[in-house]
């Protein structure tokens, strides 16, 4: 996407579109940095624990009809075992215990929250 973005002639953009271009470029570069440099998907178990937070967002925000949001929630839930298996394979085996502890507590807390509220 960065390559496609770089093909746009920045000087020909309107002032408003230049802002949009810069925001898009920043977002893409940030994502590349996060994946390639920070590699949190390998170093931080919270990367995987946050999937529970997205469940709450789908349920609590009224951005689409309930049936559509429910389908999204079910898709996420269906992918949890696969995602956790991937995490187990990808995460660095020598992670600090504290990172694992907080990811587990965070996930357990969200599980309890969802059980109590939904």
């Amino acid at each position: 996407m960065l390559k496609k973005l770089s093909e746009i002639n920045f000087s020909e953009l309107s002032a408003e579109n230049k802002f949009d271009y810069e925001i898009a470029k920043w977002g893409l570069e940030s994502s590349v940095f996060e994946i390639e440099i920070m590699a949190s998907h390998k170093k931080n178990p919270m990367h995987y624990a946050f999937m529970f937070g997205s469940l709450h967002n789908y349920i609590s925000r009224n951005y689409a009809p309930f049936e559509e949001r429910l389908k999204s929630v079910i898709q996420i839930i269906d992918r949890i075992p696969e995602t956790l298996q991937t995490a187990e394979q990808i995460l660095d085996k020598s992670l600090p215990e504290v990172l694992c502890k907080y990811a587990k507590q965070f996930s357990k807390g969200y599980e309890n929250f969802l059980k109590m509220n939904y």
Side-chain angles (χ1 to χ4, degrees):
M1 293 303 291
L2 270 171
K3 185 179 182 312
K4 285 184 109 172
L5 191 65
S6 71
E7 294 169 1
I8 296 173
N9 188 341
F10 184 79
S11 63
E12 293 179 0
L13 296 174
S14 69
E16 184 177 342
N17 286 341
K18 285 181 180 180
F19 284 119
D20 290 339
Y21 178 98
E22 291 294 344
I23 291 169
K25 183 178 176 189
W26 174 82
L28 291 168
E29 288 175 342
S30 295
S31 293
V32 169
F33 177 79
E34 175 66 31
I35 293 167
E36 293 180 359
I37 307 300
M38 296 300 295
S40 68
H41 63 289
K42 294 179 181 180
K43 300 175 184 175
N44 187 353
M46 286 299 290
H47 179 84
Y48 300 94
F50 284 133
M51 73 179 147
F52 295 107
S54 63
L55 287 173
H56 177 65
N57 290 335
Y58 281 107
I59 294 168
S60 63
R61 295 199 173 117
N62 195 14
Y63 66 89
F66 178 75
E67 294 78 20
E68 194 175 317
R69 290 183 288 145
L70 183 59
K71 284 180 187 176
S72 297
V73 168
I74 291 169
Q75 287 176 340
I76 292 170
I77 290 171
D78 286 345
R79 292 184 60 207
I80 288 174
E82 174 190 345
T83 302
L84 294 176
Q85 186 177 32
T86 299
E88 190 173 7
Q89 293 169 356
I90 291 176
L91 282 168
D92 187 334
K93 303 303 181 223
S94 60
L95 290 170
E97 186 177 334
V98 68
L99 291 179
C100 299
K101 174 185 166 186
Y102 286 117
K104 185 176 179 179
Q105 286 177 345
F106 180 87
S107 299
K108 200 69 170 156
Y110 247 113
E111 179 185 356
N112 292 336
F113 172 79
L114 291 169
K115 283 179 180 176
M116 289 179 3
N117 292 288
Y118 301 104

